[in-house]
Amino acid sequence: MKGLIISALAALLAMPTFAEPLSGERQIIFVDGEGIRHAAGRVTFTPQGDQTSYSITWTPSAFEDHFLSMRPFRCMEGPAKLWCHVPYPYPINRTISGDDLTDLEYDLLFVWKGAADYGINMWNGVYYLLEATETGLVGDLHEINMDVLSAPPPDGSLRPVKAGDLHQVDPGGHWLPRVLIE
């Protein structure tokens, strides 16, 4: 039992955290299954004490306008799928810390659809679960039914997406299984 506890603590200590808070401008890069990088925007980080605020500027040329299911979407077009950005519809602080990247994860919500499909299905949500690295952040794709966001969260609740709402997937089944912020 003691060995198990020591192994668990060693694993926690080995998890990367920010040596220094992220600061300045970083690129948002989506990586497809073949390792091809698709630049889509920039994040500007501003350290503020033990937290870091951020703002995102998406690159207009990386997206095409689509009108899907009676709503406008900005989508990146892949060979067989569209990757459509879903702006988070509720208030968030747009701050992160070494152990809480949730706000940024909420700003990186997407929904995918087959290129030949009609409309959009919010069950095909994409959530990038972010982790700190020595050079920035990396996020692996998890699926999410976006219907969890169809109604506003209770007042004061800034974290309506729970761990049970996210589902790990085979990265080979999606066009853009990873996001980098570097």
Side-chain angles (χ1 to χ4, degrees), residues 26-56:
R26 306 282 181 115
Q27 277 194 309
I28 301 171
I29 302 166
F30 292 91
V31 182
D32 68 22
E34 297 176 9
I36 298 172
R37 298 161 59 100
H38 304 267
R42 298 187 117 18
V43 183
T44 302
F45 294 101
T46 306
Q48 298 176 330
D50 61 347
Q51 294 191 324
T52 300
S53 66
Y54 69 88
S55 63
I56 294 178

Side-chain angles (χ1 to χ4, degrees), residues 130-144:
L130 296 172
E131 292 184 46
T133 69
E134 291 181 11
T135 59
L137 302 170
V138 62
D140 289 321
L141 181 146
H142 287 67
E143 290 180 339
I144 181 173

